[in-house]
Amino acid sequence: MRACRRSAFTGTENIIGQLINSVPMRVQITPNTPAVAWLEAIRAQWNSIRPYEHAPYTKITEWSELPKGTPLFETTALYDHATVETRLKSLGGKWAERDIEIFFRTDSPISLYAHGGERMLLSIYYERDRYRDATVQRMLQQLEAIFTAFANDISQPIDQISILSPQERALLLQGGNNTKRPFPHAQT
C-alpha cells in the first residue's frame, strides 16, 4: 500500500481525499541471508514497483495472470512514520487537547498496520469470521519477537530468527513434550 499524495502525479496537493493505491508484491525468504540484506532487498523490490503505483486495479489484475475472480490481496501491510492521532495532535492548539478515535476498514481479510515513533505500534485488523482473536494476538506476539530480534542483531541470518518468545519456546519444548499419562492396564 502506498499513499500517493507526494508522487510524480501532478496536482495532488489540490485533490481532496485519500490517494492510496495497493500494488501486490511477493517477498522471498532465502535461508542464510542476513536480516539487514533481506530488508534492503525488500525495500529495493518495493522501489522497483513504484512506477506502477498509479496503475488501475483492473490493469494490475490483468498483469498478475491470476485466474479471473481471484483476489489480488489476502493480506496487506502498511507502514507510516506516525499515527494519524499523533499527526493531528502535533498541529497544536485545540487539536492537542482532542480525543481522537480512528476507525479502519480494509478490503483484505487481514491487514497489518505499523506506525513508527519512539516505539513501534503494530495493529492487525481482520475478518472475525476467518480469524480468531487468539490467533491474531499470537501473530502480534510473533511479530514482536521478530522485530526484537532485528533490534538485537540485524546481521543475523533471517532463517535463524525465531518467531517464538523465549518463554513460548520453553513451553513448547518442555511443556509440550510432557505427554506422559497413566495407562489403565485393565484395558489391554
Side-chain angles (χ1 to χ4, degrees), residues 6 49 66 84 95:
R6 291 174 287 202
I49 64 173
L66 289 171
V84 173
W95 283 107

Side-chain angles (χ1 to χ4, degrees), residues 119-135:
R119 296 183 60 148
M120 184 180 284
L121 171 67
L122 298 175
S123 303
I124 295 181
Y125 299 90
Y126 56 98
E127 293 179 0
R128 290 181 180 260
D129 59 334
R130 286 185 68 170
Y131 298 95
R132 293 182 21 219
D133 292 345
T135 301

